[in-house]
Amino acid sequence: MLKRSDIQSSEGELQAYYQDLEAQHLAPLWTQEPAGDEPRPKAVPYVWHWRDLRVQALRAAELVGTQQADRRVLLMRNPGLQGRSSSITLTANIQVVMRGEIARAHRHSPAALRMVIESQGAYTVVNGQRIPMYPGDLVLTPNGTWHDHANPTDEPVLWLDGLDAPLVRFLDAGFQEAY
């Protein structure tokens, strides 16, 4: 019959063993704090109102040009998290490109999606393919693909960016390159 083993070691023997493990950058799992009996997320519920986001995005367009910031983006930061994320694995951002502007081509390891909120015919280019952007459109940009954004219209274009950047950072797999 199978059973659980019961080995009685002295405290001295165990401490010597643990020191040997430490010297080899090892640790016994059985001495570590357990994860707990329920999740304890740090992210908290929060709402950003479009009426506020739009005003701040347009104000950014008055204060910062695309020469100063390749991408004029407002990060929606979850008040419960350290850093610049909306959730533990995703960012949500508002980007604005004004009339006659272009955000230069770049690529990065996070995948991105863009939900177009306001546009009269701006576009994004993904790996050389021009994609028109109109309200309600969802534009996907796979990781590692070259992309830029341009607005030849008289009205601003605004969209919601979603990227898996926090997950990519956690996996230590991030890169970004500008053209």
Side-chain angles (χ1 to χ4, degrees):
M1 173 179 262
L2 299 174
K3 63 180 182 168
R4 294 178 61 174
S5 62
D6 186 15
I7 301 171
Q8 301 293 317
S9 301
S10 72
E11 188 61 29
E13 264 184 309
L14 285 173
Q15 291 308 314
Y17 176 62
Y18 295 159
Q19 287 177 352
D20 290 345
L21 292 176
E22 182 70 28
Q24 295 178 25
H25 302 284
L26 298 169
L29 177 64
W30 60 89
T31 64
Q32 309 304 305
E33 287 291 320
D37 55 359
E38 64 181 51
R40 291 186 175 85
K42 293 180 180 136
V44 298
Y46 191 80
V47 62
W48 290 270
H49 294 283
W50 177 243
R51 66 180 175 266
D52 302 324
L53 291 170
R54 186 178 192 282
V55 168
Q56 294 298 352
L58 294 177
R59 180 79 173 126
E62 293 173 3
L63 298 172
V64 179
T66 53
Q67 286 286 349
Q68 292 73 36
D70 283 339
R71 287 162 309 287
R72 197 182 296 115
V73 174
L74 299 179
L75 307 170
M76 289 183 266
R77 297 174 46 187
N78 187 292
L81 299 174
Q82 297 291 328
R84 48 190 196 190
S85 301
S86 306
S87 78
I88 201 76
T89 57
L90 298 172
T91 64
N93 318 299
I94 297 296
Q95 185 163 355
V96 59
V97 178
M98 299 303 285
R99 97 179 200 182
E101 288 183 337
I102 188 165
R104 76 177 170 162
H106 62 282
R107 66 183 184 145
H108 41 69
S109 45
L113 62 81
R114 291 175 183 81
M115 177 58 75
V116 182
I117 300 168
E118 293 182 22
S119 176
Q120 297 297 317
Y123 61 89
T124 188
V125 176
V126 179
N127 278 347
Q129 181 179 353
R130 185 173 166 159
I131 301 168
M133 298 170 74
Y134 290 99
D137 288 351
L138 176 65
V139 179
L140 302 179
T141 307
N143 65 322
T145 58
W146 286 99
H147 56 284
D148 61 27
H149 317 290
N151 184 5
T153 74
D154 291 332
E155 298 297 322
V157 58
L158 295 110
W159 64 82
L160 172 73
D161 269 333
L163 289 91
D164 59 356
L167 177 61
V168 169
R169 278 193 299 275
F170 174 77
L171 297 173
D172 201 16
F175 81 88
Q176 182 168 328
E177 181 180 13
Y179 189 68

